[in-house]
C-alpha cells in the first residue's frame, strides 16, 4: 500500500502551517513600497536561532526489528543572530551565551572574536541586548551618513519602541506568524548554518 499510494513517513516541522496565504500575498505586494528609496545594501534583515549544541540527532539508522532508545534531550543552547543585506552582504554574527566571561575564552580578548559576544542568563536574545546591538549599528551608520531599513519578525525580544529609537535605522516588523514564509534568513540561510 505504501508503494502503491506513494506514502512515506514525514516529519512535521516549522510553523508554515500557521501562515495565512492572503497575509503573505498582501505583504509581498506592499514590500516594494516599504523599501522604496533604499539601495539593496541598505535593506537589512535580522533573525536569531538557538543552537542546541549538546543535543543528539532524533533520526538515525538502526537494525530492523531492534529497539532504538534515547535519553533525555539536552537543553544546553546558545543563540546566534545574523544580519544580512538584500545584496547578500553580511555582518558579524552575534553570539549569546549564559556566562559573561566563559572559561573557554579566559585567555582571549572577546573583541578579537569573529563574532559579537553577549551574555544573558538563559542565553536568549532580549530587548536589552538587541537595543545595544542596534545602538552600536546606528552609531556606525551615522558616522558614515548612511540609513538602512531593518526587517525583523515581531518576536517578544523585539520591542515595538525600536521603530522610533534610531535615527539611521528604520525598523520594519514582518506581519505576525509569517516568518516561515517571509523572513529571508528563515528561508534556508539559518538552516545551512546549522548543518
Amino acid at each position: 500500500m505504501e508503494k502503491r499510494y506513494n506514502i512515506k513517513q514525514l516529519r512535521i516541522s516549522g510553523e508554515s502551517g500557521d501562515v495565512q496565504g492572503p497575509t503573505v500575498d498582501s505583504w509581498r505586494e506592499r514590500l516594494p513600497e516599504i523599501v522604496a528609496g533604499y539601495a539593496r545594501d541598505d535593506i537589512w534583515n535580522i533573525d536569531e536561532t538557538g543552537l542546541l549544541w549538546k543535543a543528539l540527532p532524533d533520526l538515525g539508522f538502526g537494525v530492523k526489528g531492534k529497539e532504538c532508545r534515547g535519553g533525555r534531550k539536552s537543553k544546553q543552547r546558545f543563540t546566534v543572530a545574523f544580519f544580512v543585506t538584500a545584496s547578500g552582504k553580511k555582518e558579524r554574527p552575534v553570539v549569546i551565551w549564559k556566562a559573561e566571561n566563559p572559561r573557554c575564552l579566559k585567555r582571549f580578548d572577546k573583541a578579537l572574536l569573529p563574532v559579537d559576544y553577549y551574555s544573558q542568563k538563559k542565553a536568549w536574545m532580549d530587548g536589552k541586548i538587541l537595543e545595544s546591538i542596534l545602538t552600536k549599528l546606528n552609531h556606525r551608520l551615522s558616522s558614515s551618513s548612511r540609513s538602512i531599513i531593518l526587517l525583523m519578525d515581531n518576536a517578544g525580544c523585539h520591542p515595538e519602541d525600536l521603530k522610533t529609537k534610531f535615527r539611521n535605522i528604520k525598523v520594519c516588523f514582518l506581519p505576525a506568524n509569517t516568518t516561515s514564509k517571509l523572513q529571508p534568513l528563515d528561508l534556508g540561510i539559518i538552516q545551512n548554518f546549522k548543518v
Side-chain angles (χ1 to χ4, degrees), residues 2-3 6 12 18 31-32 60 86-88 95 98 110 127 135 138 181 183 188-189 192:
E2 292 168 351
K3 285 183 181 178
N6 197 23
I12 299 171
D18 294 338
L31 187 59
S87 64
V95 172
K98 295 177 187 177
K110 287 186 278 191
T135 300
N138 189 61
K181 297 285 186 190
Q183 176 81 272
I189 296 170
N192 283 331

Side-chain angles (χ1 to χ4, degrees), residues 10 25 35-36 39 48 51 54 57 59 63 70-71 84-85 92 102-103 108 113 130 136 151 160 162:
L10 299 174
D25 295 338
V35 298
E48 314 79 33
L51 198 62
K54 277 191 173 180
L59 287 179
V63 178
V84 295
T85 68
R92 288 168 39 134
R103 278 184 266 167
F108 294 96
L113 293 174
L130 183 60
K136 289 178 186 175
L151 304 173
E160 282 284 326
L162 290 176

Side-chain angles (χ1 to χ4, degrees), residues 139-194:
H139 179 70
R140 210 173 80 219
L141 292 168
S142 68
S143 66
S144 62
S145 301
R146 187 171 164 208
S147 292
I148 65 165
I149 184 168
L150 178 63
L151 304 173
M152 66 172 66
D153 57 24
N154 57 358
C157 60
H158 302 163
E160 282 284 326
D161 68 339
L162 290 176
K163 284 184 173 183
T164 58
K165 266 194 175 155
F166 305 105
R167 181 192 241 170
N168 297 75
I169 302 172
K170 178 183 177 185
V171 175
C172 184
F173 290 101
L174 298 170
N177 301 322
T178 60
T179 57
S180 62
K181 297 285 186 190
L182 296 176
Q183 176 81 272
L185 283 162
D186 269 355
L187 299 176
I189 296 170
I190 288 176
Q191 186 62 36
N192 283 331
F193 164 76
K194 288 185 171 185

